[in-house]
Every structure is written in C-alpha cells, then in structure tokens.
Amino acid sequence: MASKYMKIYNEIVSEIQNGNIEPRSMLKSESELMQEYSVSRDTVRKALNLLERDGYIQRLQGKGSIVLDINKFDFPVSGLTSFKELSERMGGRTRTYVKELALVKPNDFLMKHLNVSKDDEVWKVVRVREIGGKKIILDKDYFNRKFVPALTREICEDSIYEYIENKLGLKIGYAKKVITVQKASEEDIKYLDFDKFDMIVVVKNYVYLEDTTLFQYTESRHRPDKFRFVDFARRSR
Amino acid sequence: MASKYMKIYNEIVSEIQNGNIEPRSMLKSESELMQEYSVSRDTVRKALNLLERDGYIQRLQGKGSIVLDINKFDFPVSGLTSFKELSERMGGRTRTYVKELALVKPNDFLMKHLNVSKDDEVWKVVRVREIGGKKIILDKDYFNRKFVPALTREICEDSIYEYIENKLGLKIGYAKKVITVQKASEEDIKYLDFDKFDMIVVVKNYVYLEDTTLFQYTESRHRPDKFRFVDFARRSR
DNA sequence: TAGTGGTCTAGACCACGGG
DNA sequence: CCGTGGTCTAGACCACTAG
C-alpha cells in the first residue's frame, strides 16, 4: 500500500499544500528526485504522473515541471468527496440529521439502480445536512444489505464511508456522478430550509467496489444557491 | 504523437465502443497484449493505465482487467467537451447563432479572470446554442488577443477549439470548471427560449495552455431542465 | 502451482528548450 | 551543446487469485 512512488507523491502533495513549494515555481527535476529518494527514474515518474493527473503540476518537455497555483479552497476537485470531507473543508458549523434508517424491499426504481433482485434487502438512509445553521442538502442513500450487514444511527450521523472503508474493509473502486437540475419535490421542501427556490440540484452517485459490483446509490439534493462543483480536466493527449 | 501505447489505447477504446469487446468480460492479459502488439510489458501497461484512468476498464490483481459497462450516451465524461463534440454525440439538429463578436478593453471582471492588463485587448464572443429547435445554451467566451490574432464569424459558428488547436497550433493543457446555479439574467431571458424558469446553470471554464498561461475564460449558461453533467471519479489509490 | 497484475530497477534513445 | 522530460525495452521480485 505504501509504495515508494506513493510516498513521493504524498510528500510532494503536502509540500505543495503547506506552501513549502511555491506555486508557479519549478519542481525538482527527475534526476534530482531520483537522488533525493534513492529510487529509479521510473519510480519518480510514476509519482510525477499522479501529480500531473491530479492537477498539482504541469510537465513540460525540455524544461521541467511547473507547480500549478491551486486555490486550496476549490480542492480537491473531482474526487469522491463526501459530505464529511466537504464540510471539514468549508469550515462552517455542520450537522447531520438522520430522518430515516430502514431496511426496505427494493422497488422498481432501486432494482434498476442498484442491481438487486426483489428478494434482497436494501438499506435506505435519508439525511439532512446543515451548514451554518441552514438545512441545505438532502441525502438519500441506498446500500445493498449483502455488503453492509449492520448500520446504526450513530454511523449515519458520522461518516458512512469511513465505516465502510475502515471497519468493513470494502474497497471502493470508482464512482459515476450525474448532475441535473429538477423541480423541487415536496420532500425537499419539507426537510430543507428552502426560502423562495423551486428548483433543486440533484447529484446522483453510483459507487462501485473494486470488483466492479455496484454497491451504493445516492441522491444528493442541494439547494441551488448553495451548490458548487469544481472539476479539473486534462486533454487526452 | 502516435506513440505505441497511444495506438494500443486507441485501438482498445474503439473496440470497446464498437462493441467488439463485450462489457463485463475479461480483457486480454498483459502478456497476450505484449505478443499481439510486439511491445514490452511497460508499453502495454501504459495503455492499460490510461484505459483505467478513463473508466474503460478495472484492473484486478491476480485476475485480469474487466471491461466496464459504459453507457455510451454518458460518455466521455469529465473531458474538456465542447459544444460541438457534445452536439455530435446528442445527435439532435443543432445551430449556433453568433450574437456578438468584438475586441474589447478588459473590465475589472476580465482582468481578474483572464490575467490581462488594461492595455491588452480581448476577444468577446457571445453565442446562442440551439438543440432540437430550442435555444438552450448561452456561451460567452473571452480570449486574450495575444494568442488569437484573428477571429471571424465563420470560425465562431463552427468550432473555435478546432481553429485554435489545428490552425493556430496552440496546445491546450488543462482546464478547470466551476458549476453553479444562479438567478437568470435579463440577457439569458432575452437570448434563450426560457419558458417558465428563473434559474440558470452557469459553467465557468478556465482553459490553460500547456505552458500554464490562462488563455480563455468561458461562461456557459444552460437552461436548467436541459443541463446534465456526468463525472467519472476514481479513488486516489 | 501457474497465471495474473503491481512495483522497481538500469539502461537506451528520442524530442524539445535554452544558453 | 547540455539538461530536461517522453518513450521503450528486458528482467526481476512480489502479491493476489484460482484450480
């Protein structure tokens, strides 16, 4: 897990985030890094490739690697950022209210989205997220019970992801997000501090394990004025 | 440009997209691919890394690589997808109306977003995008004139990106997108077929060249009911 | 045990940028 | 010219999966 190139990657990332490495400056060259870490060039290059993928540096043939000027508050960008990570970054006082926590039989909607049969059972979790005193996000999560045998209110109030990855040891592989804007539902209006808005931003999230089985479906419903999504993209080359 | 691993990547991508390789099936092993393409293992692995990064396959230690079941209509996902690529994928009849095309002196807003001084000149392009007979997107583009000396109505009606990358030879490195939802402006309502909506989805796009200079700022304003954004994300590993 | 992918090494040649 | 990053090779050892 703690491969050499991952250590190099993590060290450089924290140096950039701490400001020890100046944005817009040149990163050490590959050969310097080889000596510094006593590794082969390929190992250095693996670390640099990850840094480039994640938007920390830009590599230029014949010149070197420039450290990009990342606005820390926008970062990280297109990760699997959960509410807990998000709220830690935003700072403001946050709370989570568990409105519903139950095992349900899947309806057609769930069978379509979660790849479960009508004999399986599914955890349904409905949570309201409050930031700075305002109820802004309505999260509806569905898990296949096969993977998550037990679930408690306490876990839901904290971070379900942490429980799943650390306690259950399930390995999340990848996720697909779809963002759309819809008319707000009665449920949205009932649970959220809605003021004058009649639309809602819906982020559908499909989470897959490393063995490619679909494991969780989440709908995250955001008050439109508070929604913000940042994405970093590279040309395919 | 046409490196060996890129050829392998492209071949496998098109085989997946054509359906020649079944989703959920096992991809050929690394050693098989080495023989098939007569390359070293490292070269095969470079191609496979890209395929995994882009969401085409999932690699499993000890087993092999599974071909993921990509919904073609959602794909590609978090690229630098321009309107032209987008409309080609959506199929429907599309049109572009150039509403404004001028060299302007930058105001405070532009100086902040485009890194230009008050003596530079900036291209301003305002375009309305029509899909299926409905005017749905309002694109406002700003380019530093330093990089784009000339710009015509014809280029704007086609694809500015194509002109920039192929004709001018500028190399786009990366881009940052910020998605928010705002109250619709008078300009939005004037130019778009707006029906009953009063909100608009704003996609701010900052495009950088390979040498990390900010080159273009774009605001893409979408009618909320027609907006859809798909993102594919991997765990940091 | 055999086959798969994951990491690491050492060395080669090329393309590009700048003095 | 030299130093940079980009590509490619051959070989080694490890970790994991499955029969």
Side-chain angles (χ1 to χ4, degrees), chain B residues 188-223:
Chain B
D188 298 330
I189 294 167
K190 184 173 87 184
Y191 283 137
L192 300 181
D193 292 327
F194 226 68
D195 294 354
K196 56 203 176 299
F197 304 103
D198 64 338
M199 306 286 282
I200 194 144
V201 180
V202 180
V203 181
K204 294 178 183 171
N205 206 4
Y206 304 83
V207 183
Y208 296 81
L209 299 178
E210 277 194 343
D211 66 0
T212 77
T213 58
L214 180 60
F215 148 74
Q216 177 192 8
Y217 169 74
T218 297
E219 238 179 70
S220 213
R221 305 173 71 89
H222 298 243
R223 209 173 85 174

Short mmCIF file of all heavy atoms in Angstrom, two decimals, chain B residues 188-223:
data_model
loop_
_atom_site.label_atom_id
_atom_site.label_comp_id
_atom_site.label_asym_id
_atom_site.label_seq_id
_atom_site.Cartn_x
_atom_site.Cartn_y
_atom_site.Cartn_z
N ASP B 188 -29.95 36.32 -20.36
CA ASP B 188 -30.36 34.93 -20.52
C ASP B 188 -31.77 34.85 -21.09
O ASP B 188 -32.04 34.11 -22.03
CB ASP B 188 -30.34 34.20 -19.17
CG ASP B 188 -28.95 34.16 -18.54
OD1 ASP B 188 -27.97 34.13 -19.31
OD2 ASP B 188 -28.86 34.14 -17.30
N ILE B 189 -32.65 35.64 -20.48
CA ILE B 189 -34.06 35.57 -20.86
C ILE B 189 -34.27 36.11 -22.27
O ILE B 189 -35.08 35.62 -23.04
CB ILE B 189 -34.92 36.35 -19.83
CG1 ILE B 189 -34.84 35.61 -18.47
CG2 ILE B 189 -36.36 36.47 -20.29
CD1 ILE B 189 -35.36 36.42 -17.30
N LYS B 190 -33.45 37.12 -22.61
CA LYS B 190 -33.58 37.72 -23.95
C LYS B 190 -33.17 36.73 -25.03
O LYS B 190 -33.85 36.59 -26.05
CB LYS B 190 -32.71 38.98 -24.02
CG LYS B 190 -32.83 39.74 -25.33
CD LYS B 190 -32.07 41.06 -25.28
CE LYS B 190 -30.62 40.87 -25.66
NZ LYS B 190 -29.82 42.12 -25.53
N TYR B 191 -32.06 36.05 -24.80
CA TYR B 191 -31.48 35.23 -25.87
C TYR B 191 -32.01 33.80 -25.91
O TYR B 191 -31.98 33.16 -26.96
CB TYR B 191 -29.95 35.19 -25.72
CG TYR B 191 -29.26 36.44 -26.19
CD1 TYR B 191 -28.22 37.00 -25.46
CD2 TYR B 191 -29.63 37.06 -27.40
CE1 TYR B 191 -27.56 38.13 -25.89
CE2 TYR B 191 -28.99 38.21 -27.83
CZ TYR B 191 -27.95 38.74 -27.07
OH TYR B 191 -27.32 39.87 -27.51
N LEU B 192 -32.43 33.27 -24.78
CA LEU B 192 -32.78 31.85 -24.75
C LEU B 192 -34.29 31.63 -24.73
O LEU B 192 -35.05 32.52 -24.36
CB LEU B 192 -32.17 31.19 -23.50
CG LEU B 192 -30.64 31.24 -23.39
CD1 LEU B 192 -30.16 30.55 -22.13
CD2 LEU B 192 -29.98 30.64 -24.62
N ASP B 193 -34.72 30.44 -25.15
CA ASP B 193 -36.12 30.05 -25.02
C ASP B 193 -36.32 29.61 -23.59
O ASP B 193 -35.96 28.50 -23.20
CB ASP B 193 -36.42 28.89 -25.98
CG ASP B 193 -36.35 29.35 -27.43
OD1 ASP B 193 -36.69 30.52 -27.69
OD2 ASP B 193 -35.95 28.54 -28.28
N PHE B 194 -36.95 30.48 -22.80
CA PHE B 194 -36.82 30.25 -21.37
C PHE B 194 -38.06 29.72 -20.68
O PHE B 194 -38.01 29.27 -19.56
CB PHE B 194 -36.37 31.55 -20.69
CG PHE B 194 -35.27 31.29 -19.74
CD1 PHE B 194 -34.04 30.90 -20.22
CD2 PHE B 194 -35.46 31.34 -18.37
CE1 PHE B 194 -33.01 30.60 -19.36
CE2 PHE B 194 -34.43 31.03 -17.50
CZ PHE B 194 -33.20 30.66 -17.99
N ASP B 195 -39.19 29.80 -21.34
CA ASP B 195 -40.41 29.29 -20.71
C ASP B 195 -40.58 29.84 -19.30
O ASP B 195 -40.57 31.03 -19.09
CB ASP B 195 -40.41 27.76 -20.66
CG ASP B 195 -40.49 27.16 -22.06
OD1 ASP B 195 -40.65 27.94 -23.01
OD2 ASP B 195 -40.37 25.95 -22.19
N LYS B 196 -40.66 28.95 -18.37
CA LYS B 196 -41.08 29.34 -17.02
C LYS B 196 -39.93 29.40 -16.01
O LYS B 196 -40.15 29.62 -14.83
CB LYS B 196 -42.12 28.32 -16.52
CG LYS B 196 -41.58 26.89 -16.58
CD LYS B 196 -42.67 25.86 -16.64
CE LYS B 196 -42.09 24.47 -16.80
NZ LYS B 196 -41.30 24.31 -18.06
N PHE B 197 -38.69 29.17 -16.47
CA PHE B 197 -37.61 29.07 -15.50
C PHE B 197 -37.06 30.43 -15.10
O PHE B 197 -37.04 31.35 -15.91
CB PHE B 197 -36.48 28.21 -16.07
CG PHE B 197 -36.96 26.87 -16.50
CD1 PHE B 197 -37.16 26.58 -17.84
CD2 PHE B 197 -37.22 25.89 -15.55
CE1 PHE B 197 -37.62 25.34 -18.23
CE2 PHE B 197 -37.68 24.65 -15.94
CZ PHE B 197 -37.87 24.37 -17.28
N ASP B 198 -36.60 30.52 -13.86
CA ASP B 198 -35.97 31.77 -13.45
C ASP B 198 -34.54 31.54 -12.95
O ASP B 198 -33.88 32.47 -12.53
CB ASP B 198 -36.79 32.48 -12.38
CG ASP B 198 -36.87 31.68 -11.10
OD1 ASP B 198 -36.65 30.45 -11.16
OD2 ASP B 198 -37.14 32.26 -10.04
N MET B 199 -34.09 30.27 -12.99
CA MET B 199 -32.71 29.98 -12.60
C MET B 199 -31.93 29.54 -13.85
O MET B 199 -32.51 29.12 -14.85
CB MET B 199 -32.65 28.84 -11.57
CG MET B 199 -33.50 29.03 -10.34
SD MET B 199 -32.84 30.24 -9.18
CE MET B 199 -31.55 29.29 -8.38
N ILE B 200 -30.59 29.62 -13.75
CA ILE B 200 -29.76 29.18 -14.87
C ILE B 200 -28.51 28.50 -14.32
O ILE B 200 -28.00 28.87 -13.26
CB ILE B 200 -29.39 30.37 -15.78
CG1 ILE B 200 -28.82 29.85 -17.10
CG2 ILE B 200 -28.41 31.31 -15.10
CD1 ILE B 200 -29.23 30.68 -18.27
N VAL B 201 -28.07 27.46 -15.02
CA VAL B 201 -26.87 26.74 -14.61
C VAL B 201 -25.67 27.40 -15.28
O VAL B 201 -25.63 27.51 -16.51
CB VAL B 201 -26.92 25.25 -15.00
CG1 VAL B 201 -25.65 24.54 -14.54
CG2 VAL B 201 -28.15 24.59 -14.40
N VAL B 202 -24.71 27.84 -14.49
CA VAL B 202 -23.55 28.54 -15.02
C VAL B 202 -22.32 27.66 -14.91
O VAL B 202 -21.95 27.25 -13.81
CB VAL B 202 -23.31 29.86 -14.26
CG1 VAL B 202 -22.10 30.58 -14.83
CG2 VAL B 202 -24.55 30.73 -14.33
N VAL B 203 -21.70 27.36 -16.04
CA VAL B 203 -20.46 26.59 -16.05
C VAL B 203 -19.34 27.53 -16.43
O VAL B 203 -19.24 27.96 -17.58
CB VAL B 203 -20.53 25.41 -17.05
CG1 VAL B 203 -19.23 24.62 -17.00
CG2 VAL B 203 -21.71 24.52 -16.75
N LYS B 204 -18.51 27.86 -15.46
CA LYS B 204 -17.36 28.72 -15.73
C LYS B 204 -16.19 27.84 -16.08
O LYS B 204 -15.89 26.88 -15.39
CB LYS B 204 -17.03 29.56 -14.50
CG LYS B 204 -18.11 30.56 -14.17
CD LYS B 204 -17.76 31.34 -12.93
CE LYS B 204 -18.92 32.29 -12.60
NZ LYS B 204 -18.74 32.93 -11.30
N ASN B 205 -15.52 28.17 -17.17
CA ASN B 205 -14.47 27.31 -17.68
C ASN B 205 -13.19 28.12 -17.86
O ASN B 205 -13.18 29.12 -18.57
CB ASN B 205 -14.92 26.72 -19.02
CG ASN B 205 -14.27 25.41 -19.31
OD1 ASN B 205 -13.51 24.87 -18.50
ND2 ASN B 205 -14.54 24.88 -20.49
N TYR B 206 -12.15 27.70 -17.19
CA TYR B 206 -10.85 28.36 -17.31
C TYR B 206 -9.94 27.43 -18.08
O TYR B 206 -9.63 26.33 -17.61
CB TYR B 206 -10.26 28.64 -15.94
CG TYR B 206 -11.16 29.46 -15.04
CD1 TYR B 206 -12.17 28.87 -14.31
CD2 TYR B 206 -11.01 30.84 -14.94
CE1 TYR B 206 -13.00 29.62 -13.50
CE2 TYR B 206 -11.83 31.60 -14.13
CZ TYR B 206 -12.83 30.98 -13.42
OH TYR B 206 -13.66 31.73 -12.62
N VAL B 207 -9.49 27.85 -19.26
CA VAL B 207 -8.69 26.98 -20.11
C VAL B 207 -7.24 27.47 -20.13
O VAL B 207 -6.97 28.64 -20.40
CB VAL B 207 -9.23 26.95 -21.55
CG1 VAL B 207 -8.43 25.99 -22.40
CG2 VAL B 207 -10.70 26.54 -21.54
N TYR B 208 -6.32 26.56 -19.86
CA TYR B 208 -4.91 26.89 -19.78
C TYR B 208 -4.14 26.21 -20.91
O TYR B 208 -4.45 25.08 -21.28
CB TYR B 208 -4.32 26.42 -18.45
CG TYR B 208 -4.91 27.10 -17.25
CD1 TYR B 208 -6.14 26.68 -16.73
CD2 TYR B 208 -4.26 28.15 -16.63
CE1 TYR B 208 -6.69 27.30 -15.62
CE2 TYR B 208 -4.79 28.78 -15.53
CZ TYR B 208 -6.02 28.35 -15.03
OH TYR B 208 -6.56 28.98 -13.94
N LEU B 209 -3.12 26.88 -21.42
CA LEU B 209 -2.23 26.24 -22.39
C LEU B 209 -1.23 25.35 -21.67
O LEU B 209 -1.14 25.36 -20.44
CB LEU B 209 -1.49 27.32 -23.20
CG LEU B 209 -2.39 28.25 -24.00
CD1 LEU B 209 -1.55 29.29 -24.73
CD2 LEU B 209 -3.23 27.46 -25.00
N GLU B 210 -0.46 24.59 -22.47
CA GLU B 210 0.49 23.66 -21.85
C GLU B 210 1.55 24.39 -21.04
O GLU B 210 2.10 23.84 -20.10
CB GLU B 210 1.16 22.81 -22.94
CG GLU B 210 0.31 21.62 -23.33
CD GLU B 210 1.08 20.60 -24.13
OE1 GLU B 210 2.17 20.94 -24.65
OE2 GLU B 210 0.60 19.47 -24.25
N ASP B 211 1.83 25.64 -21.40
CA ASP B 211 2.84 26.38 -20.61
C ASP B 211 2.19 27.07 -19.41
O ASP B 211 2.79 27.94 -18.80
CB ASP B 211 3.58 27.38 -21.50
CG ASP B 211 2.66 28.47 -22.01
OD1 ASP B 211 1.46 28.46 -21.67
OD2 ASP B 211 3.14 29.34 -22.74
N THR B 212 0.98 26.69 -19.09
CA THR B 212 0.23 27.11 -17.89
C THR B 212 -0.30 28.54 -17.94
O THR B 212 -0.83 29.02 -16.94
CB THR B 212 1.05 26.96 -16.58
OG1 THR B 212 2.00 28.03 -16.48
CG2 THR B 212 1.78 25.63 -16.55
N THR B 213 -0.18 29.22 -19.09
CA THR B 213 -0.81 30.54 -19.16
C THR B 213 -2.31 30.38 -19.37
O THR B 213 -2.75 29.55 -20.15
CB THR B 213 -0.24 31.38 -20.31
OG1 THR B 213 -0.44 30.66 -21.54
CG2 THR B 213 1.23 31.65 -20.13
N LEU B 214 -3.07 31.21 -18.65
CA LEU B 214 -4.52 31.21 -18.82
C LEU B 214 -4.84 31.86 -20.14
O LEU B 214 -4.38 32.95 -20.44
CB LEU B 214 -5.19 31.97 -17.67
CG LEU B 214 -6.71 32.03 -17.74
CD1 LEU B 214 -7.31 30.65 -17.70
CD2 LEU B 214 -7.25 32.86 -16.60
N PHE B 215 -5.65 31.20 -20.91
CA PHE B 215 -5.78 31.59 -22.29
C PHE B 215 -7.21 31.96 -22.63
O PHE B 215 -7.48 32.81 -23.46
CB PHE B 215 -5.29 30.40 -23.13
CG PHE B 215 -5.96 30.24 -24.43
CD1 PHE B 215 -5.66 31.10 -25.46
CD2 PHE B 215 -6.89 29.24 -24.62
CE1 PHE B 215 -6.29 30.95 -26.68
CE2 PHE B 215 -7.51 29.10 -25.83
CZ PHE B 215 -7.22 29.95 -26.87
N GLN B 216 -8.16 31.36 -21.96
CA GLN B 216 -9.55 31.59 -22.29
C GLN B 216 -10.40 31.49 -21.03
O GLN B 216 -10.14 30.67 -20.15
CB GLN B 216 -10.03 30.52 -23.29
CG GLN B 216 -11.50 30.64 -23.65
CD GLN B 216 -12.00 29.43 -24.38
OE1 GLN B 216 -11.30 28.43 -24.50
NE2 GLN B 216 -13.22 29.48 -24.88
N TYR B 217 -11.40 32.36 -20.97
CA TYR B 217 -12.42 32.23 -19.93
C TYR B 217 -13.76 32.13 -20.62
O TYR B 217 -14.09 32.92 -21.50
CB TYR B 217 -12.40 33.44 -19.00
CG TYR B 217 -13.59 33.48 -18.07
CD1 TYR B 217 -13.66 32.60 -16.99
CD2 TYR B 217 -14.65 34.35 -18.29
CE1 TYR B 217 -14.76 32.60 -16.16
CE2 TYR B 217 -15.75 34.35 -17.45
CZ TYR B 217 -15.80 33.47 -16.39
OH TYR B 217 -16.89 33.46 -15.57
N THR B 218 -14.54 31.14 -20.24
CA THR B 218 -15.84 30.94 -20.85
C THR B 218 -16.91 30.77 -19.79
O THR B 218 -16.69 30.12 -18.78
CB THR B 218 -15.86 29.66 -21.73
OG1 THR B 218 -14.94 29.82 -22.78
CG2 THR B 218 -17.24 29.41 -22.29
N GLU B 219 -18.05 31.39 -20.05
CA GLU B 219 -19.21 31.15 -19.22
C GLU B 219 -20.27 30.51 -20.09
O GLU B 219 -20.71 31.08 -21.07
CB GLU B 219 -19.75 32.47 -18.67
CG GLU B 219 -19.79 32.52 -17.17
CD GLU B 219 -20.31 33.85 -16.69
OE1 GLU B 219 -21.52 34.12 -16.87
OE2 GLU B 219 -19.49 34.62 -16.18
N SER B 220 -20.65 29.31 -19.72
CA SER B 220 -21.64 28.58 -20.49
C SER B 220 -22.90 28.51 -19.65
O SER B 220 -22.91 27.91 -18.58
CB SER B 220 -21.10 27.17 -20.76
OG SER B 220 -21.54 26.68 -21.99
N ARG B 221 -23.96 29.17 -20.14
CA ARG B 221 -25.17 29.31 -19.32
C ARG B 221 -26.26 28.42 -19.88
O ARG B 221 -26.73 28.61 -21.00
CB ARG B 221 -25.58 30.78 -19.27
CG ARG B 221 -24.42 31.67 -18.78
CD ARG B 221 -24.71 33.14 -18.89
NE ARG B 221 -25.70 33.59 -17.92
CZ ARG B 221 -25.40 34.02 -16.70
NH1 ARG B 221 -24.14 34.06 -16.29
NH2 ARG B 221 -26.36 34.40 -15.88
N HIS B 222 -26.68 27.43 -19.09
CA HIS B 222 -27.59 26.39 -19.56
C HIS B 222 -28.97 26.52 -18.94
O HIS B 222 -29.09 26.72 -17.73
CB HIS B 222 -27.07 25.00 -19.18
CG HIS B 222 -25.75 24.65 -19.77
ND1 HIS B 222 -25.58 23.60 -20.65
CD2 HIS B 222 -24.52 25.20 -19.62
CE1 HIS B 222 -24.32 23.52 -21.00
NE2 HIS B 222 -23.64 24.47 -20.40
N ARG B 223 -29.99 26.32 -19.76
CA ARG B 223 -31.35 26.22 -19.21
C ARG B 223 -31.38 25.03 -18.27
O ARG B 223 -30.95 23.93 -18.63
CB ARG B 223 -32.34 26.03 -20.36
CG ARG B 223 -33.70 26.58 -20.06
CD ARG B 223 -34.57 26.51 -21.28
NE ARG B 223 -35.19 25.20 -21.39
CZ ARG B 223 -36.11 24.91 -22.31
NH1 ARG B 223 -36.46 25.82 -23.21
NH2 ARG B 223 -36.65 23.73 -22.36
#
